[in-house]
Amino acid sequence: MMSENWDEIRTAFQVAKLGTVSGAAQVLGVHHATVIRHIDALEGQLGVKLFQRHARGYTPTEAGADLLSVAQTTDDQFSQLVSRIKGRGEDVSGELVVTSLPGMASVVAPVLAEFQRTYPDVIVRYLTGERVFRLEYGEAHVAIRAGKPPQEPDNVAQPFYSQSHALYAHKSYLERFGHPEPDQMLNELRFVGHDDHTNRAPFMRWLYERVDPDRITFRASEVEAMIQAVLSGIGAGFLPTHLAAGHDDMIELMGARPEWESANWLVTHVDLHRTPKVQAFLTMLKDHAKDWTCAA
């Protein structure tokens, strides 16, 4: 358990030693809400109360005192490790972990490739998926997230770009089923959509609000599968405009609209935001984004 929950244990150790959430937050360099969240998570997993809460602060219970004793040696070793890591962190080397939705790989991967050519000592890990990676637990250095602005108190969220979408169909689909008149598209096209009809992507909301569900004849649980279905001619569907521009066989049926745009955010943890490695990658990523046809 120690290796999996050290962030929470280290937080509880500081609270036990200092007696207050604010004191622990100051020492750890985190928001006080993070301290409370870590303690609640640790107590929930252990099934015991580690502290008695009172007006003057937090007093360790018997279990909390045991934790304080055991954690002392580990904290000393952890502090030595942090010093070594910080020493290495002054140059651009080691691992860089970046996350995004799978559909962004076509624009993010080339930037990562150039970053690694520029900084050959960096090991790149590019993790794509639908889930939100927790930066406060060190799961990633930089996250590119879509949708509403991230609200985690310990994270730095910067507006990145708005990805435009339009409705397309492969020419092979139109050869089989014909090209409907503009006012009949929603009634005659066979659509590719998300399997979850409550999906919050703006273009998916628009589609499900206007199209008979029977017209959505191919449904997938991941955006990448939807994209491949449209590119394969299974049905009409929404694609990022920069992606469709690279496929000559894709026919635009409805042009990009503001209400179909997906806002994207660059998210970093406050403790890593100013490190040379993260800043070097953010600078390169923003520079490339100026040339993306999908950039606002």
Side-chain angles (χ1 to χ4, degrees):
M1 175 184 166
M2 181 70 77
S3 62
E4 297 175 353
N5 299 88
W6 175 243
D7 280 343
E8 289 94 340
I9 293 172
R10 183 167 175 250
T11 298
F13 168 61
Q14 292 296 336
V15 172
K17 188 166 66 171
L18 299 172
T20 65
V21 168
S22 59
Q26 184 174 0
V27 169
L28 294 170
V30 299
H31 195 277
H32 74 274
T34 299
V35 174
I36 295 172
R37 186 168 64 248
H38 282 184
I39 292 174
D40 289 345
L42 188 58
E43 288 183 335
Q45 183 164 352
L46 293 173
V48 297
K49 286 294 183 182
L50 298 173
F51 300 95
Q52 294 291 338
R53 281 80 163 167
H54 51 79
R56 296 184 304 277
Y58 281 45
T59 300
T61 62
E62 183 177 358
D66 287 343
L67 179 73
L68 178 63
S69 176
V70 171
Q72 179 68 64
T73 300
T74 309
D75 183 72
D76 292 339
Q77 295 172 343
F78 187 85
S79 297
Q80 294 172 14
L81 175 62
V82 169
S83 296
R84 294 198 301 271
I85 291 173
K86 285 184 176 179
R88 292 200 303 264
E90 294 307 311
D91 59 2
V92 181
S93 62
E95 279 193 349
L96 175 71
V97 186
V98 179
T99 76
S100 78
L101 291 171
M104 297 189 64
S106 62
V107 290
V108 175
V111 181
L112 288 169
E114 180 176 332
F115 187 77
Q116 198 166 46
R117 287 193 296 269
T118 305
Y119 303 102
D121 292 333
V122 172
I123 296 172
V124 171
R125 296 179 61 211
Y126 181 32
L127 310 179
T128 60
E130 299 284 341
R131 81 174 179 91
V132 176
F133 289 82
R134 299 185 300 175
L135 304 187
E136 70 271 23
Y137 288 97
E139 291 187 336
H141 297 100
V142 178
I144 306 172
R145 296 182 184 170
K148 295 181 179 179
Q151 298 296 322
E152 298 90 344
D154 294 340
N155 290 344
V156 178
Q158 304 175 71
F160 187 29
Y161 75 99
S162 292
Q163 183 169 268
S164 61
H165 289 79
L167 183 67
Y168 298 90
H170 194 277
K171 71 175 184 180
S172 64
Y173 167 87
L174 297 176
E175 289 170 356
R176 292 199 316 276
F177 296 101
H179 196 310
E181 295 297 323
D183 60 348
Q184 292 300 314
M185 284 188 183
L186 300 184
N187 298 322
E188 297 182 9
L189 289 171
R190 297 164 62 92
F191 288 94
V192 172
H194 201 285
D195 192 54
D196 180 4
H197 71 278
T198 65
N199 182 266
R200 302 309 297 168
F203 50 88
M204 279 293 104
R205 294 201 305 269
W206 184 93
L207 183 67
Y208 272 99
E209 289 170 359
R210 290 165 175 79
V211 172
D212 189 313
D214 291 341
R215 303 304 307 171
I216 304 175
T217 57
F218 186 96
R219 306 174 189 185
S221 60
E222 294 184 357
V223 172
E224 183 62 26
M226 293 166 51
I227 289 174
Q228 292 304 317
V230 177
L231 294 176
S232 300
I234 292 174
F238 289 93
L239 297 177
T241 52
H242 76 275
L243 177 64
H247 295 268
D248 295 336
D249 291 336
M250 300 308 301
I251 308 301
E252 184 181 275
L253 303 178
M254 294 184 183
R257 299 182 181 182
E259 63 264 37
W260 295 343
E261 290 184 354
S262 296
N264 287 272
W265 305 84
L266 289 177
V267 188
T268 54
H269 192 271
V270 65
D271 294 340
L272 297 177
H273 179 70
R274 294 294 180 188
T275 59
K277 179 167 53 182
V278 169
Q279 284 297 311
F281 177 68
L282 292 178
T283 298
M284 182 176 290
L285 184 62
K286 292 174 183 178
D287 186 60
H288 274 261
K290 295 175 183 178
D291 298 326
W292 294 349
T293 58
C294 57

